[in-house]
Amino acid sequence: SPGDAGLTTFIDQYGLIALGQSNTSMTWDLSTLEGRRLWKETIETWKPMLVTMSFHGNAWSSKNEQGNYKHHQRLLQKRQELDRPLLQLVQWTCHEQAGSGRYFLVNGPSTSRALREPELKDVIGMPNVVSGRLPVTTNDKFLTNDASLLTALTANAKSYEQDVHEGAVAHDNESEFSPTFEEQRAHCILSLLRDVVIKRNRHRFI
């Protein structure tokens, strides 16, 4: 799954295989034509069962729109147009995954302007796509074409939130995403993904 460090960290425990993360520190820069070409080629070649993506770009931040760039909207629009190929890549990936009977999970700030752009509005309107926010990550909106995945993530987040409330786990009040929650979320996704893969190819785990 390109894009999620937690998944790649724990995936061996589930007998699954992960593709490399896509980020600039790993020389896979999706802001470039070559980076986007490599992404598409990887998806088409390896056909991952699940692709995770997030859109946290500052160009689409509501804070920028309403604050920093409040009096410089034309400049902000230029930044957004430079970032648009990434939204188009998310759109392409979601259609590629769904059209091939595979899954995607997209998340980003629920207040992001990106959600109001044609590319993500198209994803939201795709058949079988569900969306929602999770406890703990209340500022993020999640989109997926697998309702069971969102249900499992929601239950996992509620369980984590209850543990925090009861003092069973430490919670970092300075960050919405504590390492403990990220790890639990990764295990939740991988457990569900393994069940899906077993149903499709049981002999792989014998």
Side-chain angles (χ1 to χ4, degrees), residues 106-126:
V106 183
N107 74 285
S110 59
T111 57
S112 173
R113 180 180 175 82
L115 288 167
R116 306 198 301 270
E117 293 301 301
E119 294 82 2
L120 289 185
K121 287 177 68 176
D122 173 63
V123 172
I124 293 171
M126 289 172 59

Side-chain angles (χ1 to χ4, degrees), residues 1-12 18-23 25-26 52-54 179 182-183 185-187 189-190:
S1 169
D4 194 308
L7 297 182
T8 57
T9 299
F10 303 117
I11 200 163
D12 286 347
L19 303 176
Q21 293 174 250
S22 173
N23 57 47
S25 66
M26 301 185 70
T52 62
M53 299 165 282
S54 62
E182 287 185 341
E183 290 175 4
R185 185 176 66 178
H187 284 295
I189 293 172
L190 290 169

